[in-house]
Amino acid sequence: MNRAMAIEIFAAAFALHGQVYDTVLANGRVMDPESGLDAVRYVGIRGRRIAAISSSPLEGGAVLDVRGLVVAPGFIDLHSHGQDDENYRFKAHDGVTTALELEIGVSPVAPWYRSREGKALINFGASSGHVPARMAVMHDTGTFLPRDEAAHRAATDEEKLSIVNLVRQGLDDGAIGIGFGIAYVPTATREEILRLFQLAADRHVPVFVHMRGSPGDGQDGPIVALQELIADAAVTGVSLHVVHITSVGGRQTALCLRMMEGARRHGMDVTTEMYPYDASATRIESALFDGDWAKRTGRPYSDIQWVATGERLTAETFAAYRKIGGSVIVHAIPEEAVRLGISSPEVMIASDGRIADGKGHPRSAGTFARVLGRYVREEKTISLMDAIRKMTLMPAQRLEASVPAIRNKGRIKVGADADIVVFDPERVIDKATYENAAQYSEGIQHVLVNGVLVLRDGKFVPGLYPGVGLKTR
């Protein structure tokens, strides 16, 4: 060690000496994917920020000894449909400190944000959604997803203009890009989608897209659908994020990933995500099940599970439940696609989760702990640092060009927001199942949101709502 370095270290230690922080995380294994830090450190938090990271002890009003535990940036979920207190609690118990509704999105945007201010356990945000805007303009009777007009009828020129205006208003209100569920509105023309891609490009915000079709729509179905997105992104110059690639890509996931890699090599901004499960979830009344589903996809009705009861469907129960509508789980994602996505350095982790009155898909409660427990510890598919990067830094980097607040998240460094998860790497695991999704993950010990401890020793601290809304402005 040279003299200059010794002086610098001494000066830093002197500056920290005598400081009292609001909260200190002591003796934890601090892992930061941006700097590569992986060492035992003391983390001092003051207000909503990380104020110190030290190799020597720090004083604090509250000192948590987290020896043997990992201290990491709070997980950022780019694809979280459940945007209420029930879902935020499952998210926090899975290590998530920011949950964003970016695929389907919302409309109108301004009241959606206002309704959550001061009432959110974790940070929240949404895109301006093409699907909800289309549903509103075309007077669709569906709730979360279209079930009639918006799904089965082409929009008139006047309706298309109204849809664009609604989506534009959402951007004016600070929405995080534009969300698309093209598979749920198959009558939306390619021109309609391209026009909104251009709007996003003009406003310098990303698009978050569930592409057309489903994995069973012929061998080339996912390829043709992805080609539409890449072509539209190339024409407009928009930043493209393709949601749940293993779900929409199916057995063509490897080729889809190669296509996106090729687009990136040629200068395009294209990213993607996945959830670590071999089944998807959706609404049975949606356009995904139009026509003869079993014949079109080559799958039996028993692959579909009715969420309300857990039963597997037959042709008869499928027809009956489709008339009334409800949530279903579809067991159709190849395990090899899941492993491929997990191991790819370019694929982020996102849940696509939503719990409603204790019912839903296990991804809603266990996505992040499942990656850490099953694919890092048990199967060693990826390293712990790589998994953390997929859950924190990569999602933050995806948004930081247009969302200023996200630049202080996804990192453990001085000055960053104190959105932090502390977990036991030897014990962390998902507990949610397809039959009982409403089960908290295990091994998530402490969670801080904007410097506030919302989960301590695996239990919620009551009455605290430190989450804030993230916007483009």
Side-chain angles (χ1 to χ4, degrees):
M1 181 185 300
N2 60 38
R3 185 171 182 273
M5 185 179 295
I7 292 173
E8 182 179 345
I9 293 173
F10 177 80
F14 182 80
L16 293 174
H17 182 72
Q19 297 281 339
V20 178
Y21 300 92
D22 298 332
T23 305
V24 172
L25 303 175
N27 300 305
R29 179 186 175 186
V30 176
M31 299 187 69
D32 173 52
E34 184 176 57
S35 65
L37 175 65
D38 182 359
V40 174
R41 291 288 187 270
Y42 295 77
V43 178
I45 298 158
R46 182 175 293 119
R48 60 173 294 165
R49 307 279 190 192
I50 296 173
I53 301 172
S54 172
S55 57
S56 57
L58 300 175
E59 296 182 44
V63 178
L64 279 67
D65 188 348
V66 294
R67 190 185 312 268
L69 305 179
V70 171
V71 177
F75 306 143
I76 300 171
D77 190 348
L78 295 180
H79 191 163
S80 183
H81 297 302
Q83 292 285 334
D84 54 30
D85 190 60
E86 178 184 19
N87 282 272
Y88 292 159
R89 292 172 72 85
F90 282 107
K91 291 297 177 190
H93 228 298
D94 203 31
V96 174
T97 55
T98 299
L100 307 172
E101 163 59 281
L102 299 183
E103 178 210 33
I104 297 300
V106 303
S107 185
V109 168
W112 187 89
Y113 273 92
R114 283 197 301 269
S115 68
R116 287 158 179 78
E117 291 173 359
K119 304 174 184 177
L121 186 70
I122 62 176
N123 303 311
F124 57 91
S127 66
S128 184
H130 170 240
V131 165
R134 201 173 204 266
M135 291 172 67
V137 168
M138 300 179 72
H139 306 291
D140 194 280
T141 63
T143 51
F144 176 58
L145 294 174
R147 66 177 302 160
D148 39 59
E149 293 294 302
H152 302 135
R153 178 171 68 79
T156 66
D157 288 344
E158 183 179 356
E159 287 172 333
K160 288 179 184 178
L161 180 58
S162 296
I163 292 167
V164 170
N165 286 337
L166 266 183
V167 173
R168 181 184 290 112
Q169 181 61 55
L171 295 180
D172 290 342
D173 293 333
I176 304 173
I178 301 178
F180 294 84
I182 310 177
Y184 296 108
V185 287
T187 53
T189 64
R190 281 165 170 74
E191 181 273 336
E192 182 177 333
I193 302 304
L194 178 60
R195 187 174 182 179
L196 288 169
F197 269 48
Q198 186 64 62
L199 173 61
D202 292 344
R203 300 293 288 268
H204 304 290
V205 295
V207 293
F208 306 90
V209 191
H210 181 153
M211 61 194 195
R212 294 183 191 273
S214 65
D217 290 343
Q219 183 175 2
D220 294 332
I223 307 308
V224 174
L226 183 57
Q227 285 173 338
E228 177 189 12
L229 304 188
I230 292 176
D232 285 358
V235 167
T236 62
V238 77
S239 294
L240 169 65
H241 183 78
V242 181
V243 303
H244 48 47
I245 189 60
T246 55
S247 173
V248 293
R251 298 194 183 282
Q252 296 291 347
T253 295
L255 181 51
C256 288
L257 290 175
R258 290 201 299 274
M259 290 170 64
M260 287 186 280
E261 180 184 356
R264 284 190 295 271
R265 282 202 310 268
H266 289 87
M268 294 181 64
D269 183 6
V270 182
T271 57
T272 192
E273 68 186 42
M274 65 165 292
Y275 47 83
Y277 293 88
D278 59 4
S280 61
T282 189
R283 301 282 299 182
I284 198 172
E285 71 272 21
S286 76
L288 291 184
F289 296 101
D290 285 355
D292 189 338
W293 180 83
K295 183 177 180 180
R296 174 166 53 85
T297 63
R299 307 197 71 91
Y301 286 107
S302 59
D303 278 356
I304 305 174
Q305 186 175 7
W306 185 242
V307 167
T309 62
E311 69 187 281
R312 296 296 187 107
L313 300 190
T314 64
E316 292 74 23
T317 54
F318 172 85
Y321 288 141
R322 186 155 160 78
K323 290 178 181 178
I324 62 175
S327 297
V328 289
I329 293 170
V330 184
H331 296 265
I333 303 175
E335 178 62 26
E336 58 266 29
V338 176
R339 295 181 189 283
L340 179 63
I342 290 286
S343 61
S344 170
E346 300 300 330
V347 180
M348 304 175 206
I349 302 299
S351 74
D352 191 11
R354 185 188 189 197
I355 292 281
D357 298 323
K359 298 289 186 178
H361 188 295
R363 66 192 183 188
S364 312
T367 285
F368 296 87
R370 182 175 180 83
V371 171
L372 296 172
R374 178 174 181 178
Y375 291 101
V376 173
R377 184 180 64 246
E378 296 176 0
E379 300 192 6
K380 297 177 174 56
T381 305
I382 54 173
S383 71
L384 180 55
M385 185 66 88
D386 284 341
I388 292 172
R389 182 177 63 89
K390 285 169 168 278
M391 301 173 180
T392 59
L393 183 63
M394 288 177 68
Q397 291 174 329
R398 167 72 278 183
L399 301 179
E400 61 187 8
S402 56
V403 183
I406 205 78
R407 299 168 195 168
N408 287 322
K409 299 185 185 298
R411 292 102 165 158
I412 297 289
K413 67 179 182 180
V414 173
D417 292 340
D419 289 350
I420 299 173
V421 58
V422 181
F423 62 89
D424 185 344
E426 300 302 319
R427 196 167 62 85
V428 64
I429 196 67
D430 60 313
K431 302 301 290 183
T433 66
Y434 291 116
E435 290 69 34
N436 183 8
Q439 299 188 76
Y440 292 136
S441 296
E442 289 187 354
I444 306 294
Q445 293 299 104
H446 311 292
V447 173
L448 295 96
V449 178
N450 296 309
V452 177
L453 202 59
V454 298
L455 191 75
R456 182 169 184 168
D457 296 321
K459 298 179 180 179
F460 289 109
V461 181
L464 300 178
Y465 301 99
V468 299
L470 302 186
K471 299 182 181 181
T472 55
R473 57 189 185 87

